[in-house]
Amino acid sequence: MTRTVRAAVLPAVGAPLTVTEIDLPDPGPGQVRVRLAAAGVCHSDLSLSDGTMRVPVPAVLGHEGAGTVAAVGEGVTRLSPGDPVVLNWAPSCGSCHACTLGEVWLCANALNGSADVHARTADGTDLHPGLNVAAFAEETVVAESCVLPLPADIPLTDAALLGCAVLTGYGAVHHSARVRQGESVAVFGVGGVGLATVQAARIAGASRIVAVDVSAEKEGLARAAGATDYVVASDTTPRAIRALTGKQGVDVAVECVGRAVSIRAAWESTRRGGRTTVVGIGGKSELVTFNALELFHWGRTLSGCVYGNSDPARDLPLLAEHVRAGRLDLTALVTERIALEDIPVAFENMLAGKGGRALVVF
C-alpha cells in the first residue's frame, strides 16, 4: 500500500524544486516510516540542486530532519510507533575500510541508499531520496540505520538541527580541529553550520572567537552564539584577525563556506603552526593554491572535515546533554520558520548570504 504526502521534488539538476503530492510506500523489512516535525534547509541541499554534489534525480531533497515514528516494517525492533527520532543521512555500514578504522564519517557505503527508488509521483515517475532520508516531505520511509532515537527532553522541532548543522559544527571544533581550552578560533561563514561552530567553540572554552561573514547584519547572531569579535569579510580579513590576536593569528580557523577565497583567508588567519578545518562544500572550480616555501615556513595544518568527523550514534546523546544544560541553544540557530513552498526562497537567501538556518515546520 502507499500513502499520499506532500514533498519538495527536484525534477532535474538545475531545475527549480516542485512541491507536489507523491505516493510513499509502506515500510518494508528493516524500514521505518517517519512523520516529519521539521526539516532544516542546508547548503548541501542547494549543492544537490545545482549539481555541485551529484545524486540520482528526480529526487526528494532534505537530509536534516526530526519527527515521530509512524510505522515500522518487519524485523525492526529498536523503534516503535510514537518514538521521537532524528534522521541520520549518512549511516555507516560498519564493514568498509573506513568503518573498520573507526572513521564512520568516511563510510564508503553511506550514500548507497540515494540510488534506491523512494517513492513515485502521481504519473508513476520514480523518485530517489536525495541524501538517503528525503526530509523535505510530510512523511518519509527510511532504513532503520537512518533513524536515531531522540534523547528525552529535547524539543522535537528544534531537534532537526542535530541531524546535520550541529553535528557538523560541533564535530569540526571537537573532533577535527580539536580546539583546546584557552585557544583562539576564527569561524568563516555565519550560517546555520557557522553559528553551530561558534557555539561549539564557546563550549570548548575558546578564549577568543572571531566570526567572519560577508554580511554585517549577522553580527548580532554571531555574538549571541558566543563570538567575541566580528569581522566583515574583505581582502584584508587575515590582517584584521592578526590585529585582534597580537599580530599572531588565531590558533584555529574553521571555514564553513566552501569557497577558495575564504579557505585561503582562513589559512592565512591562523598563527604559525595553526590549524584550519574546511567544512564548506565547494565546487571543482574552486581552486586553492599555495607555494612550497610558505607551506614549510608557516607549518600550518589544513584539513578537510566530513560531517564534523562525527559518529551520530555516539555524539547525539552528548549534544542532547549540552542542550539540556543550556550550553547549546538550538533555537538561536534558526532565523526563519517556513513551509515547504518557501524552500526556493530559502535557497536564494543562502546564496545571498542572508540569515542563519531556515527550518521547514510541518
Side-chain angles (χ1 to χ4, degrees):
M1 296 181 62
T2 62
R3 295 172 62 86
T4 300
V5 301
R6 295 172 69 248
V9 174
L10 177 69
V13 172
L17 289 184
T18 301
V19 176
T20 185
E21 291 187 340
I22 66 172
D23 293 328
L24 187 70
D26 286 340
Q31 292 185 320
V32 179
R33 188 172 80 240
V34 177
R35 183 176 301 112
L36 273 296
V41 182
C42 179
H43 204 281
S44 296
D45 297 308
L46 181 60
S47 295
L48 292 172
S49 71
D50 66 16
T52 299
M53 297 171 63
R54 291 283 183 173
V55 293
V57 291
V60 178
L61 297 189
H63 62 279
E64 180 184 81
T68 304
V69 173
V72 299
E74 180 183 350
V76 175
T77 58
R78 190 169 53 91
L79 298 160
S80 301
D83 288 349
V85 294
V86 175
L87 298 179
N88 174 18
W89 62 269
S92 56
C93 70
S95 59
C96 71
H97 182 64
C99 286
T100 60
L101 294 175
E103 298 173 351
V104 297
W105 53 91
L106 299 178
C107 176
N109 301 309
L111 296 182
N112 285 358
S114 294
D116 294 343
V117 175
H118 171 73
R120 290 181 172 83
T121 61
D123 65 6
T125 301
D126 289 345
L127 298 173
H128 302 282
L131 284 178
N132 283 326
V133 296
F136 287 166
E138 295 170 328
E139 294 186 7
T140 187
V141 172
V142 298
E144 184 180 10
S145 59
C146 289
V147 180
L148 297 170
L150 177 64
D153 306 325
I154 307 301
L156 184 57
T157 300
D158 293 342
L161 303 172
L162 295 172
C164 185
V166 177
L167 273 171
T168 300
Y170 184 89
V173 168
H174 290 266
H175 303 323
S176 180
R178 303 190 182 212
V179 174
R180 299 181 288 263
Q181 178 85 25
E183 288 192 312
S184 54
V185 178
V187 179
F188 285 70
V190 191
V193 173
L195 289 171
T197 303
V198 170
Q199 289 203 41
R202 173 175 47 75
I203 292 170
S207 60
R208 183 161 223 150
I209 304 171
V210 184
V212 181
D213 199 276
V214 295
S215 172
E217 297 174 356
K218 291 186 182 181
E219 181 172 359
L221 286 172
R223 290 189 181 275
T228 58
D229 302 274
Y230 193 82
V231 173
V232 177
S234 71
D235 293 342
T236 61
T237 294
R239 187 185 310 166
I241 291 176
R242 287 195 294 272
L244 292 170
T245 54
K247 298 184 180 180
Q248 297 300 310
V250 290
D251 297 297
V252 172
V254 182
E255 199 274 354
C256 303
V257 182
R259 294 188 60 210
V261 64
S262 53
I263 293 171
R264 177 74 202 197
W267 188 81
E268 290 183 6
S269 297
T270 63
R271 63 171 174 81
R272 197 175 187 189
R275 313 185 299 280
T276 298
T277 288
V278 179
V279 174
I281 301 173
K284 293 179 180 179
S285 62
E286 294 288 336
L287 303 180
V288 189
T289 60
F290 306 91
N291 67 60
L293 180 60
E294 66 179 331
L295 290 174
F296 160 77
H297 172 76
W298 288 103
R300 294 164 171 153
T301 300
L302 177 68
S303 61
C305 178
V306 178
Y307 203 8
N309 293 8
S310 294
D311 179 346
R314 175 199 65 197
D315 293 336
L316 189 61
L318 176 62
L319 293 174
E321 185 54 39
H322 284 310
V323 174
R324 290 192 202 97
R327 294 184 290 267
L328 181 59
D329 184 357
L330 300 177
T331 304
L333 305 180
V334 180
T335 52
E336 56 179 341
R337 295 173 186 264
I338 63 175
L340 276 173
E341 290 82 2
D342 301 318
I343 294 174
V345 175
F347 280 1
E348 292 175 6
N349 288 339
M350 277 193 291
L351 284 170
K354 296 180 181 178
R357 203 47 137 209
L359 191 66
V360 179
V361 179
F362 296 94

